[in-house]
Amino acid sequence: MSDGQRSVPRGEAGTTTGADILMALVGAAAVAWQNPISSWFTAMLHCFGGGILSCLLLAEPPLRFLTNHTNILLASSIWYIVFFCPCDLVSQGYSFLPVQLLAAGMKEVTRTWKIVGGVTHANSHYKNGWLVMIAIGWARGAGGSIITNFELLVKGDWKPQADEWMKMSYPAKVTLLGSIIFTLQHTEHLLISRHDLVFLYTMFLVVTKIIMMTTATPILPFAPFEATISRILFGWQQQFLPCEKKSEISTSTSKSTAVISDKVKKKGNKKTD
């Protein structure tokens, strides 16, 4: 790893690339023309949302990302040329699939370094605090999707059914998994070097993202594990429901037969009388 690559996870409030802007703003031209301030603000939330959220969780100034003038100017300049370039050349260029794949790969590489930076930054505040390290790594890597509700509220498009906490997206899930893995590696419970783990995790992210984009079909690699864990931890009540229903049916049938037998006995007694 070069020094430039190693400096990425050290960002205090998260870093950004052109992929963050391009992936976040495509399809929002109408909002940019009608309300450029709102569009710019939502772009900054997508780029620096992880850093803002992690600062809030660690009781640090949430606007510290504004001190990194290079990232702010880079993000703002890319936002401007995407929406206000003559003849809409940038957006048209991004419509080509190879360019989209390149941007997606850049974004996933940046996500990995954000997770590593969040875990390391949390460990500097809370030594070997597992839950804190996982939470900060998750917030740093998927902050843009986690605070989507606030972004939609700014644009006036917020809907309760689009809540990220109610229905987690794939980036939020894979970032949570990565935060757990890198926390285990940082606390030396996972015997693998950081560089090897970064490479393997990044390749997993990039390959799955490219497959999802090229095939235009959502890949759910966590669906079998989620179903199994849900069945093991939370499916016991559902398993006992058929037994309860059978017991209820048997008790009801026994009660009905007892009532019928009582009626038959009463009729027989009346006849004898």
Side-chain angles (χ1 to χ4, degrees):
M1 292 293 176
S2 63
D3 294 336
Q5 289 175 316
R6 292 182 181 179
S7 63
V8 174
R10 295 183 188 140
E12 295 296 333
T15 55
T16 183
T17 62
D20 291 303
I21 292 289
L22 293 174
M23 295 293 288
L25 300 181
V26 171
V31 178
W33 282 91
Q34 295 174 3
N35 194 341
I37 300 300
S38 175
S39 176
W40 177 85
F41 186 69
T42 56
M44 297 304 106
L45 282 181
H46 273 280
C47 294
F48 305 102
I52 296 172
L53 188 59
S54 62
C55 287
L56 291 174
L57 293 175
L58 292 175
E60 296 178 346
L63 297 181
R64 189 165 56 182
F65 74 94
L66 292 175
T67 59
N68 194 330
H69 302 148
T70 303
N71 284 340
I72 295 296
L73 291 176
L74 175 62
S76 300
S77 61
I78 295 176
W79 166 82
Y80 185 81
I81 63 174
V82 165
F83 291 116
F84 302 100
C85 180
C87 302
D88 205 16
L89 295 178
V90 176
S91 296
Q92 292 180 6
Y94 184 76
S95 62
F96 294 102
L97 183 60
V99 180
Q100 295 180 10
L101 295 178
L102 178 62
M106 293 169 58
K107 185 174 180 63
E108 299 306 322
V109 172
T110 307
R111 186 191 305 279
T112 303
W113 285 113
K114 286 182 178 181
I115 297 172
V116 175
V119 171
T120 305
H121 187 59
N123 186 67
S124 63
H125 285 71
Y126 300 94
K127 189 67 175 178
N128 292 330
W130 284 37
L131 294 179
V132 179
M133 295 167 66
I134 293 173
I136 301 303
W138 185 29
R140 186 73 70 86
S145 60
I146 293 174
I147 63 173
T148 302
N149 289 333
F150 184 65
E151 176 230 338
L152 295 176
L153 183 63
V154 172
K155 295 193 299 183
D157 297 333
W158 180 79
K159 296 178 181 179
Q161 58 269 24
D163 193 346
E164 181 70 22
W165 297 104
M166 300 298 293
K167 187 177 181 181
M168 289 177 58
S169 61
Y170 172 75
K173 293 179 181 180
V174 75
T175 304
L176 177 59
L177 176 62
S179 182
I180 296 174
I181 293 175
F182 283 107
T183 298
L184 294 175
Q185 189 278 331
H186 194 83
T187 55
E188 298 181 355
H189 289 83
L190 188 61
L191 301 180
I192 185 174
S193 65
R194 174 178 295 185
H195 299 301
D196 293 339
L197 184 59
V198 167
F199 174 76
L200 294 175
Y201 181 73
T202 304
M203 289 300 298
F204 170 74
L205 293 182
V206 173
V207 170
T208 53
K209 188 67 176 180
I210 290 177
I211 293 176
M212 291 171 65
M213 295 180 65
T214 53
T215 59
T217 55
I219 298 177
L220 303 175
F222 304 124
F225 301 100
E226 291 177 0
T228 303
I229 294 175
S230 176
R231 194 179 303 110
I232 293 174
L233 298 179
F234 311 109
W236 294 106
Q237 186 66 25
Q238 297 178 359
Q239 293 178 4
F240 287 120
L241 283 177
C243 299
E244 293 178 357
K245 290 181 179 179
K246 290 180 180 179
S247 63
E248 291 177 358
I249 293 172
S250 61
T251 54
S252 61
T253 52
S254 61
K255 288 181 180 179
S256 61
T257 52
V259 171
I260 294 173
S261 62
D262 291 338
K263 291 181 179 180
V264 172
K265 289 180 180 179
K266 290 180 180 179
K267 290 181 179 178
N269 294 331
K270 288 181 180 180
K271 290 181 179 180
T272 55
D273 293 341

